[in-house]
Each structure stands twice: as structure tokens, then as C-alpha cells.
Amino acid sequence: MSVTLAALALLAVFLLLLVLSVPISVAIAISSIVTALFFLTWEQVVFIVMQKMNSGLDSFSLIAVPLFILAGNIMNNGGIAGRLIDLAQVIAGRIPGSLAQTNVIGNMIFGSLSGSAVAAAAAIGGTLHGREKDEGYDPAFATSVNIASAPTGLLIPPTTAFIVYSMIAGGVSVSALFMAGYVPGILMGLVTMAIAYVHARKAGYPTSPRPSLAEAGRVTLRAIPSLLLIVVVVGGIVAGVFTATEGAAVAVLYCLVLSLIYRSMSWSAFKEVLLATAATSGIILFLISASSALSWVMAYTGIPDAISAAVLSVSGSTYVVYLLMVVVLLVVGTFMDITPAILIFTPIFLPMATELGMDPVHFGVVLVFSMCIGTMTPPVGSVLFVACSISGVTIEQVTRRLIPYLVALVALLLVVTYVPALSTGLPSLMGLM
């Protein structure tokens, strides 16, 4: 069977199962098995696929994934969001449309701490929704700001997206990836703030009252313990004090201590957090397991090399190939969540990117940034649906407001793609690359 037929068989079975509403992890496993059967016997396929699925989870680094999820869930239920919102409002209070600006800054801070765009959209957007409604904000505008800024936490570390990518990419430094995400993540937030500022000025949205120096100091002091999590975890990982997995364990312990100090989470709520973490972790880990089998099938059939050769044959220009790669990733992001997209498309595009001279750290940032934009768009945009359900705004109503943000963020993605220093500058400066 040729590589083309193998690729078509894999794609056809996978899409058919998705149309039939089969969970994506199961669809990946079944399509991998069906494709492998064209080349090997049933006994060989069962043995090898099971072996690859098992070995795909045999990684110390993967323990960080459920631990960071647990830390994020504790933060989401442990009274931390309110303190961060108060700090964000002190920072953004004098900017027109200050509550919208507070939403952006709050999402940047909380999203980076929790590592979840959905958690940020729910916690920060949910808290600010009532205040924005009381001050006369257009619900569609407020929701669009929440949607556009929530994914910043997927780039600003600590984030599980980079940990998953590091594992699939063959041991790319997690510390380097964490540092590489800072500048693009912050730029993403600033671009969102700039667009919100322009709209707020036109609409005449108010600024918040200037807080007294004592009030600003009190709010900052209340938020410092939460902010120290970034210093402890990211600083410890980058300094080599502990690994990403050990840093995730430290994050869990730190969040538990904060929750006990704040007395904001009951025992029953903690049990619910553990159950939610177990459910989410099980989904992600099985997805990683199934994707390990898929990666082996693609490598065995030569699909990544064939796709790379096809794309490179379109043009000899590196810039054109980068553009094609980004377009494909953006399209993929609209149909697939970030974790399966990283698992499936890293083996396909990373070899091609490195062949063109793109550093694996740089490619990781481009990949995650592309998937961030995908979380904002239908049909699978998780942040889009969560933010709309919180505010009660329909997708049709928010889409028009969201277009300027999407255009600006795609433009920023292209800048990040074509200017490697925005991603690699900080980790290189710190001696991590």
C-alpha cells in the first residue's frame, strides 16, 4: 500500500469516526489500528499498538500534567481569582473601559497560574460579568474581550501545553519553552488591550476611580502570595532547582497552603476538585497514549515525510512554506483541541520546520500560539463556548465583535513566526538554548 493510500485511509477513518461523535482519543486509536492493518497482521498490530500506547505514558515528565491540572483546579476554587482581579483593576483602573482591561490582565495572570484558558475565561470573565453589566458594557464586547484574552495563559508559563510538546518533540527543554512563551503571551495580551481600548474610547466606557495609595498597597499585598507561585515554580524550573514534574508538585502544595490560609475551600469542594482533576487527567493521558500509537503508524507508513515533501515542493521560499504551515495549523485549531493537535501535528511539522532552519523551541511557540487562536473559533472553540455560556451572549452576536481581535492576533502570529527572536531571545539570553 502506498503512502498516499495510507494517509487517505487514516484520514477517512478518523473523520468518519468524528462525524459519528466518537471521542477523539478513541477515534485516533481505531484509525491507527485500521491503517496499520493494511501493512501488518492483526496479531502484529495488536501487540505493537498496545506496546506503543503503554510506552507513550511511561514518562516521568507526564506526571506534571495531572499535577498542574490539580493545581489549576485548586486555584479556580480556592479564592485566588478574586484577589488577582482586584490587582488587575488597580493596574488597569485609569484606562478607558477599565473593566475590560481588567479582564485582559486578570486572564493573563490567572491563566498563567492555572495553565487553562477555559478556567481563566470562567473564573475571571464570570466574576467581572456582573460588574460590566452594571456599568453599561455591551455584553458582546465584554465577552469578546474575555474570549480573546483567556488563551494568553496557554503561552505564559507554567503551562501543560509546552510540557506535552516537549515530550512529543523529543526532549526539547521545558525551561526554554517556558521562557520562550513569555514575550508572545504578553504581546498577545497587549494587542487585545489595544483593540479593547479603541472600542472603549469610541463607546465612552468609564474608567475606574483612582484607588488611594493605601488601597493599592493593600490589594497588591493580598495578591502577592498568589503571584509568588509563578516565581517559585517557573523560577525553580529555569534555575534547575527542580524538574517540571517536581515543580508541578510544588505548585499543588503551594496552592493547597494558600487555600488553607484563605479558608476558601471546604473538604467537600476539595473532593470535587480531586474528582474533576482525575476525570480531566484521564482524558488527556488516554489521548496521549492513543496519539503515541498514531505517531508510530505515521512514522511506519512514511506519512510525515510525504507531507513534508509535498509542502516543500510547493515553493522553495522558506517564507511561503512557513505561511502554509501556519495556515494549516490555524485551520486545524478550529477543529481540534490543543492537546490532540500538538500530539498529532508535532511529528508532521516539526521535522519540516527544523529542515527549514526553525528552532524546535520557536516552532513550539508557533504551534501553541496557533492553537490558542483555535480555542476562540467555532466549531470546537472551547473558550468561545464557555465565555458565551457565562455571559448569555450567542455565538452569532459575539462573532462580529471578535473579528478585529482574530485579525490582529493572526497578524501577531505571523510576526512571531517570522521573527524568531521574539520566542528565542529570552531563553537564549538566560543560557537555556
Side-chain angles (χ1 to χ4, degrees):
M1 186 179 186
S2 69
V3 176
T4 303
L5 290 177
L8 290 174
L10 181 65
L11 182 62
V13 174
F14 181 66
L15 292 178
L16 175 63
L17 292 172
L18 290 185
V19 170
L20 295 175
S21 299
V22 175
I24 190 168
S25 53
V26 178
I28 289 172
I30 293 175
S31 57
S32 301
I33 292 171
V34 171
T35 305
L37 284 173
F38 286 106
F39 298 88
L40 302 169
T41 66
W42 170 254
E43 290 77 12
Q44 290 173 320
V45 169
V46 170
F47 176 78
I48 296 174
V49 167
M50 293 303 105
Q51 184 185 55
K52 295 299 178 182
M53 290 182 70
N54 180 66
S55 62
L57 295 179
D58 187 15
S59 170
F60 178 72
S61 300
L62 272 182
I63 301 174
V65 174
L67 288 175
F68 271 124
I69 292 172
L70 176 57
N73 285 339
I74 293 172
M75 281 187 285
N76 205 23
N77 293 271
I80 294 174
R83 290 170 168 78
L84 296 178
I85 287 174
D86 291 340
L87 175 64
Q89 192 157 9
V90 167
I91 297 171
R94 303 306 298 166
I95 305 175
S98 57
L99 287 181
Q101 306 292 350
T102 299
N103 196 162
V104 178
I105 296 173
N107 276 340
M108 291 172 69
I109 299 173
F110 187 82
S112 66
L113 289 172
S114 66
S116 170
V118 171
I124 306 299
T127 303
L128 288 172
H129 173 65
R131 301 186 199 178
E132 290 172 322
K133 188 176 181 180
D134 292 339
E135 293 197 13
Y137 281 69
D138 176 10
F141 163 70
T143 304
S144 66
V145 173
N146 190 30
I147 293 168
S149 59
T152 54
L154 297 175
L155 283 169
I156 303 174
T159 169
T160 57
F162 284 139
I163 295 173
V164 173
Y165 169 77
S166 171
M167 183 195 69
I168 301 299
V172 178
S173 169
V174 174
S175 300
L177 287 166
F178 276 6
M179 289 298 100
Y182 269 114
V183 173
I186 292 171
L187 287 175
M188 187 177 180
L190 292 176
V191 166
T192 305
M193 290 179 70
I195 297 173
Y197 171 84
V198 171
H199 180 83
R201 284 291 299 268
K202 290 180 179 178
Y205 292 136
T207 59
S208 298
R210 184 187 297 274
S212 65
L213 189 60
E215 175 68 14
R218 185 184 67 82
V219 169
T220 303
L221 286 174
R222 291 179 73 239
I224 282 177
S226 303
L227 295 175
L228 281 176
L229 176 64
I230 298 177
V231 178
V232 172
V233 175
V234 178
I237 293 172
V238 172
V241 177
F242 39 69
T243 65
T245 302
E246 293 162 346
V250 170
V252 171
L253 179 61
Y254 191 95
C255 293
L256 279 174
V257 171
L258 279 186
S259 296
L260 290 174
I261 293 173
Y262 295 157
R263 297 181 179 180
S264 53
M265 188 165 60
S266 64
W267 173 244
S268 60
F270 180 62
K271 287 191 291 185
E272 291 178 4
V273 163
L274 290 177
L275 289 172
T277 300
T280 304
S281 300
I283 293 169
I284 292 176
L285 292 176
F286 182 67
L287 193 55
I288 292 172
S289 177
S291 297
S292 298
L294 176 63
S295 296
W296 172 79
V297 169
M298 289 194 299
Y300 184 82
T301 56
I303 292 174
D305 292 337
I307 294 175
S308 178
V311 173
L312 292 174
S313 67
V314 172
S315 172
S317 170
T318 301
Y319 297 104
V320 174
V321 175
Y322 280 179
L323 179 61
L324 289 173
M325 184 174 65
V326 168
V327 170
V328 172
L329 291 175
L330 286 172
V331 173
V332 167
T334 64
F335 292 97
M336 194 175 291
D337 278 332
I338 185 167
T339 301
I342 291 173
L343 293 168
I344 294 172
F345 288 92
T346 297
I348 294 175
F349 285 115
L350 179 58
M352 181 175 64
T354 53
E355 184 179 340
L356 292 169
M358 181 181 281
D359 188 274
V361 172
H362 180 204
F363 174 75
V365 173
V366 172
L367 174 61
V368 173
F369 199 148
S370 302
M371 297 304 110
C372 286
I373 295 175
T375 65
M376 310 174 197
T377 57
V380 190
S382 53
V383 173
L384 173 69
F385 292 116
V386 168
C388 287
S389 66
I390 289 171
S391 63
V393 176
T394 66
I395 292 175
E396 291 77 13
Q397 290 173 317
V398 80
T399 298
R400 184 172 63 88
R401 295 289 192 187
L402 198 56
I403 288 174
Y405 299 96
L406 292 174
V407 171
L409 292 177
V410 169
L412 177 60
L413 170 61
L414 292 174
V415 172
V416 170
T417 301
Y418 290 120
V419 185
L422 292 175
S423 303
T424 60
L426 189 56
S428 296
L429 187 65
M430 300 182 70
L432 299 172
M433 293 178 60

